[in-house]
Amino acid sequence: MKRSEAIKLLESEAWTKADAIRALEVIDFNNNPDELTIRRAISNFAGSELSHRQRLQAAQKGQVTKKNKEIEQIHKEYDVKITRYKQELKQARERNETELHNLTAVNNELKAEVRRLSLNNDQLKKDNISLKEKLQNLTIANKDLDAKLTNTNLVNEQLKKDNKDLKNVVDAIKLKLAIEVNQLLKYEDSEIRKALIKLFNSTLG
């Protein structure tokens, strides 16, 4: 019998493949042993040692079953956490989308306000330039008015002086005329006539 055939035989009798391989290690299959030889060789392994190993295997299976249940429970808890996380993530995404929408609206309003302020600023700059030009023109006009006022003051002073001089001349003429008239009153009629002619001629120049 070949090793592979012996392993299949033991597996058909509820042996595990690993136990069958370990039990058959003591057999030299080069001599082509028969089934009886094989059973005698594995009789020691099939006794208390096999029972012990089977108990260990049963315990291991129990541990595996327990671990599988624990893993299954962990998977369930993990699935619950994943589901909750997905819901929270969805809610957070919806909140973020709402906030983004609101921020976008605020940003658009701010952009519009910036554009409006920029236009106002441009208009203010133009107005400022216009006011500067008007101020320059007013400054020039004011200087011109100051010059004219100064000239007017000079002319006025000259007129005052001329008026004063003219008044002095008139006063002198009045005084001279009064003196001449006073002198005429002292003369005879013919002499008065001559004096008047003389006064008239002197008045003419």
Side-chain angles (χ1 to χ4, degrees):
M1 182 178 290
K2 296 180 180 180
R3 182 185 296 274
S4 59
E5 293 174 343
I7 291 173
K8 288 182 179 180
L9 175 63
L10 295 179
E11 285 180 333
S12 67
E13 295 177 358
W15 285 57
T16 65
K17 186 175 182 179
D19 285 338
I21 292 173
R22 279 190 289 270
L24 295 173
E25 287 178 352
V26 297
I27 300 173
D28 185 5
F29 283 92
N30 292 326
N31 295 326
N32 193 21
D34 56 13
E35 183 178 344
L36 181 59
T37 301
I38 292 172
R39 289 190 180 281
R40 286 176 179 173
I42 66 172
S43 60
N44 292 331
F45 189 86
S48 59
E49 183 177 350
L50 181 59
S51 297
H52 176 67
R53 291 187 61 81
Q54 287 176 343
R55 285 194 298 273
L56 289 177
Q57 289 175 354
Q60 289 176 351
K61 287 182 179 179
Q63 290 292 329
V64 170
T65 301
K66 182 179 179 181
K67 288 294 182 183
N68 286 337
K69 289 182 179 180
E70 291 177 355
I71 291 172
E72 184 179 357
Q73 182 63 29
I74 291 172
H75 277 298
K76 288 181 180 179
E77 293 175 356
Y78 179 76
D79 290 339
V80 171
K81 290 181 179 179
I82 288 295
T83 301
R84 185 170 63 250
Y85 173 74
K86 287 182 178 179
Q87 291 176 348
E88 292 175 353
L89 184 62
K90 181 180 179 182
Q91 293 173 355
R93 186 180 293 111
E94 290 175 352
R95 287 195 301 271
N96 289 336
E97 289 177 354
T98 301
E99 291 178 0
L100 179 61
H101 177 74
N102 294 335
L103 289 174
T104 301
V106 172
N107 186 48
N108 291 334
E109 291 177 359
L110 289 175
K111 286 182 178 179
E113 182 66 14
V114 168
R115 286 194 295 270
R116 186 184 67 80
L117 291 175
S118 179
L119 292 174
N120 289 341
N121 187 50
D122 292 340
Q123 185 61 43
L124 288 174
K125 287 180 179 178
K126 292 179 181 178
D127 293 343
N128 188 40
I129 293 173
S130 177
L131 288 174
K132 284 183 178 179
E133 292 176 352
K134 290 180 179 179
L135 180 60
Q136 290 176 351
N137 293 333
L138 288 174
T139 301
I140 294 172
N142 188 48
K143 288 181 179 179
D144 187 45
L145 287 174
D146 287 341
K148 289 181 179 179
L149 180 60
T150 301
N151 186 49
T152 300
N153 289 334
L154 292 174
V155 171
N156 189 42
E157 291 296 328
Q158 185 63 40
L159 287 174
K160 287 181 179 180
K161 184 176 181 300
D162 292 344
N163 286 335
K164 185 177 181 181
D165 293 341
L166 181 60
K167 183 177 181 298
N168 291 334
V169 170
V170 171
D171 289 342
I173 292 173
K174 287 181 179 180
L175 179 61
K176 183 178 180 181
L177 184 59
I179 293 172
E180 293 293 337
V181 170
N182 190 40
Q183 291 294 329
L184 289 175
L185 293 175
K186 297 177 180 180
Y187 298 149
E188 297 293 336
D189 291 341
S190 58
E191 292 177 348
I192 291 173
R193 187 168 51 253
K194 292 178 181 179
L196 287 173
I197 292 171
K198 181 181 178 182
L199 178 61
F200 179 74
N201 290 332
S202 65
T203 303
L204 292 177

